[in-house]
Amino acid sequence: MVLSNAKGSIPLYMQIKELLVARVTEGEWAPGDIIPSEMQLSRELNVSQGTVRKAITELVENNVLVRRQGRGTFVATHDVDRALFHFFHICNDSGTKTLPESKTLSCRKKRASRQEASKLNLSNGAQVVYIERTRNLDNTPTIIETIILPNSLFVDLGKRQVRNLPNTLYELYETQFGITIHRAEEQLRAVAATENDASLLSLEAGTPLLKIERIAYTLDGTPVELRISRCSTSRHYYQNTVL
Amino acid sequence: MVLSNAKGSIPLYMQIKELLVARVTEGEWAPGDIIPSEMQLSRELNVSQGTVRKAITELVENNVLVRRQGRGTFVATHDVDRALFHFFHICNDSGTKTLPESKTLSCRKKRASRQEASKLNLSNGAQVVYIERTRNLDNTPTIIETIILPNSLFVDLGKRQVRNLPNTLYELYETQFGITIHRAEEQLRAVAATENDASLLSLEAGTPLLKIERIAYTLDGTPVELRISRCSTSRHYYQNTVL
DNA sequence: TAGTTTAACTCTTATATAAGTCTTTAAATG
DNA sequence: CATTTAAAGACTTATATAAGAGTTAAACTA
């Protein structure tokens, strides 16, 4: 890639931003890696340190990179904190947020339904990994989750780890499959608990549940996970901050 | 206020940020006003334009100010777009978001309940304005809203506008009462429709509804509105983007 | 081993130049 | 002569570069 500072061209710092993103998405720099210093990059690209800095600043705001003063700049990773603060929104009534324990019920391969395929941008009838689990909050089963993944990206996940899945899946995606979740869209509705829901959460059928349908995307915009959660909100709620 | 650039002190640009925020919260600059140019401010404060610029940049990211190249920098206002994009999260099934029409059912003064008072940081039994309304989406009643405001901040709102309230309340707060909503916390649960809910939304009692409890804050962190919405999610959903 | 230095970073501030917007003014047009 | 058009100028924010200060962790020393 060649940078251009001609008259009508895109600003230098934006071109640098693209270039840095490319190096992350293409795996040249993996999550957790330190990237070259601002000075090194500025020399390599023949621009000033401040210009590199502006590009990096915006990527830090997008949660792509992380800066540590005196140490360097790193590619963001999916540690537990990030999972908890960015992607998990259920609090208990006293307002505290804890990562729930998970009990995997099943993990198998199947063909995607028409809807699932469309939401994950797959061709009709493509193979998907299908995971069902319940999650405990404050020692009571509170959430039922159905997770649907393109089998092409998560090869052998169905076979290998049948009921041995870790609690924080996004860390697994990143470390085992090189897939980093960058953003997600969530659609929330209120639904009635089915008989099955009711028995899993030990409450009565028809009880209102909060249904969260999440599609998670990588940095380059590919949808890679469809996750449907049904939560009992008798002692918990979904927390959202509007800025 | 005096700026300090001594050794252990807070960075200049942050001090400037505080100063600019103060001028907005204290009403020296009102929403919609243009603020002095970066050069004017830099001369007034004896720093360089770039330092003022960094302070302003962060305030633009916080939705406090708005920049327009070639024109100037303005205090952010609560236009319809902002209300829709930042504070309204209900979409219809095809994914489009429209501002609902509102029908005010009642608007009166009462004493805050213990819970209401605590959520709005009021003393026990303080006076509040209590508004009830239904909102239509795609020509069907979809949302029931209860809005609770401290009477001390919204004097005579109860009397004056009994059933003549505009659709976008946040614009009213800003223009009539000088109160700008800056951020909000929302808590979502699934609940069963009461008989009253059911008749207002013409569905059956017990139907699951999405209950949204929002507390809205001004720039200086004062809670100024408690809003409880109950939404039918048969044809609509709550949309949240996780970054 | 505890304290000190040092090198490699990022962070802050300053300055210069580019680019966008609006107003004024004067020429061109009917 | 009245009206439109276009160019010039005086603003504004946007981008790029440079220099020095603050932080951190590891190497070095007593």
Side-chain angles (χ1 to χ4, degrees):
Chain A
M1 180 171 181
V2 180
L3 302 183
S4 140
N5 200 7
K7 233 190 164 182
S9 63
I10 294 167
L12 272 177
Y13 78 92
M14 283 198 185
Q15 299 178 48
I16 292 169
K17 219 172 115 180
E18 292 301 312
L19 186 148
L20 298 180
V21 166
R23 292 196 183 171
V24 172
T25 56
E26 288 164 13
E28 182 174 339
W29 299 332
D33 283 3
I34 190 170
I35 72 170
S37 75
E38 295 177 354
M39 278 310 271
Q40 275 177 279
L41 286 168
S42 74
R43 276 193 296 271
E44 178 196 337
L45 303 171
N46 272 304
V47 298
S48 78
Q49 174 259 353
T51 303
V52 172
R53 183 169 180 76
K54 174 142 187 172
I56 292 178
T57 298
E58 299 209 347
L59 292 174
V60 168
E61 282 161 7
N62 294 340
N63 299 311
V64 176
L65 301 176
V66 174
R67 277 210 262 244
R68 302 205 200 133
Q69 188 173 355
R71 297 196 47 195
T73 303
F74 302 80
V75 180
T77 62
H78 252 300
D79 54 1
V80 176
D81 284 354
R82 179 163 156 80
L84 200 58
F85 280 98
H86 283 276
F87 290 104
F88 190 72
H89 298 277
I90 307 292
C91 292
N92 68 15
D93 281 341
S94 44
T96 58
K97 202 156 75 168
T98 54
L99 208 59
E101 302 152 25
S102 308
K103 192 169 100 190
T104 304
L105 304 177
S106 75
C107 175
R108 56 201 168 79
K109 236 167 36 176
K110 69 160 199 121
R111 298 207 166 273
S113 73
R114 184 180 304 275
Q115 278 209 345
E116 290 160 0
S118 121
K119 284 175 181 168
L120 288 173
N121 249 341
L122 301 174
S123 51
N124 268 345
Q127 292 275 7
V128 290
V129 181
Y130 199 88
I131 301 168
E132 289 176 299
R133 60 180 187 173
T134 57
R135 309 193 77 178
N136 279 11
L137 279 167
D138 306 316
N139 296 314
T140 52
T142 310
I143 307 172
I144 306 170
E145 272 184 352
T146 306
I147 296 160
I148 297 139
L149 305 166
N151 189 63
S152 52
L153 294 174
F154 296 87
V155 198
D156 290 343
L157 179 62
K159 279 185 205 165
R160 197 173 38 174
Q161 316 197 268
V162 180
R163 45 192 68 217
N164 192 20
L165 286 168
N167 192 14
T168 56
L169 284 180
Y170 287 0
E171 241 172 328
L172 177 79
Y173 298 170
E174 185 172 287
T175 56
Q176 301 298 306
F177 300 95
I179 290 173
T180 303
I181 302 299
H182 181 247
R183 57 176 268 276
E185 300 276 344
E186 295 190 329
Q187 301 181 357
L188 284 77
R189 295 169 198 267
V191 301
T194 63
E195 286 290 349
N196 186 46
D197 295 340
S199 83
L200 285 169
L201 299 177
S202 45
L203 35 81
E204 284 177 28
T207 305
L209 297 180
L210 184 62
K211 178 182 167 191
I212 306 167
E213 191 173 306
R214 172 195 290 171
I215 303 176
Y217 299 86
T218 57
L219 187 51
D220 59 8
T222 316
V224 289
E225 184 203 56
L226 171 61
R227 180 183 293 215
I228 296 160
S229 308
R230 295 190 298 296
C231 312
S232 160
T233 56
S234 56
R235 283 196 243 289
H236 298 84
Y237 58 82
Y238 180 100
Q239 163 79 29
N240 189 24
T241 299
V242 184
L243 294 178
Chain B
M1 180 168 182
V2 180
L3 301 182
S4 141
N5 201 7
K7 227 187 168 186
S9 62
I10 294 166
L12 271 178
Y13 79 94
M14 283 197 185
Q15 300 177 48
I16 292 169
K17 216 171 118 180
E18 293 299 313
L19 186 148
L20 299 180
V21 166
R23 292 195 182 172
V24 172
T25 56
E26 289 164 12
E28 182 176 338
W29 299 331
D33 283 2
I34 190 170
I35 73 171
S37 74
E38 295 178 353
M39 278 310 265
Q40 276 176 279
L41 286 169
S42 73
R43 276 192 297 270
E44 180 197 338
L45 303 172
N46 272 304
V47 298
S48 80
Q49 177 253 1
T51 303
V52 170
R53 183 169 182 76
K54 174 140 187 173
I56 291 178
T57 298
E58 300 210 345
L59 292 174
V60 168
E61 282 163 6
N62 294 338
N63 299 310
V64 177
L65 300 176
V66 175
R67 277 210 260 245
R68 303 204 200 133
Q69 187 174 358
R71 298 199 44 200
T73 303
F74 302 80
V75 180
T77 62
H78 250 300
D79 55 1
V80 175
D81 283 354
R82 179 162 157 78
L84 199 58
F85 280 97
H86 284 275
F87 291 103
F88 190 73
H89 298 276
I90 307 293
C91 291
N92 67 17
D93 281 340
S94 43
T96 58
K97 201 156 76 169
T98 55
L99 208 58
E101 300 151 27
S102 309
K103 192 169 100 189
T104 305
L105 305 176
S106 74
C107 175
R108 57 202 165 80
K109 236 167 36 177
K110 70 160 196 118
R111 297 206 167 276
S113 74
R114 185 179 304 274
Q115 279 209 344
E116 290 161 0
S118 120
K119 283 174 181 169
L120 287 173
N121 249 341
L122 301 174
S123 51
N124 266 345
Q127 291 276 4
V128 290
V129 181
Y130 199 87
I131 301 168
E132 290 175 299
R133 60 180 186 174
T134 57
R135 310 193 78 178
N136 280 12
L137 278 168
D138 305 316
N139 296 314
T140 52
T142 309
I143 308 172
I144 306 171
E145 271 183 352
T146 306
I147 296 160
I148 297 140
L149 306 164
N151 190 63
S152 52
L153 293 174
F154 295 86
V155 199
D156 291 344
L157 179 62
K159 278 185 205 166
R160 200 173 38 174
Q161 316 198 268
V162 180
R163 47 192 67 218
N164 193 21
L165 287 169
N167 194 13
T168 56
L169 283 180
Y170 287 180
E171 240 172 329
L172 177 80
Y173 299 169
E174 184 172 288
T175 56
Q176 302 296 306
F177 300 95
I179 290 171
T180 302
I181 302 300
H182 181 247
R183 57 176 267 274
E185 299 278 343
E186 295 190 328
Q187 301 181 358
L188 283 78
R189 293 168 199 270
V191 300
T194 64
E195 286 290 350
N196 187 46
D197 293 341
S199 84
L200 284 169
L201 298 177
S202 43
L203 36 79
E204 283 178 29
T207 305
L209 297 180
L210 183 62
K211 178 182 164 190
I212 307 168
E213 191 174 305
R214 173 195 292 170
I215 303 176
Y217 299 85
T218 58
L219 186 52
D220 58 9
T222 316
V224 290
E225 183 202 56
L226 171 61
R227 180 182 295 215
I228 297 161
S229 307
R230 296 191 298 296
C231 311
S232 161
T233 55
S234 55
R235 282 198 244 288
H236 297 85
Y237 58 82
Y238 180 101
Q239 163 78 28
N240 189 26
T241 299
V242 185
L243 295 177

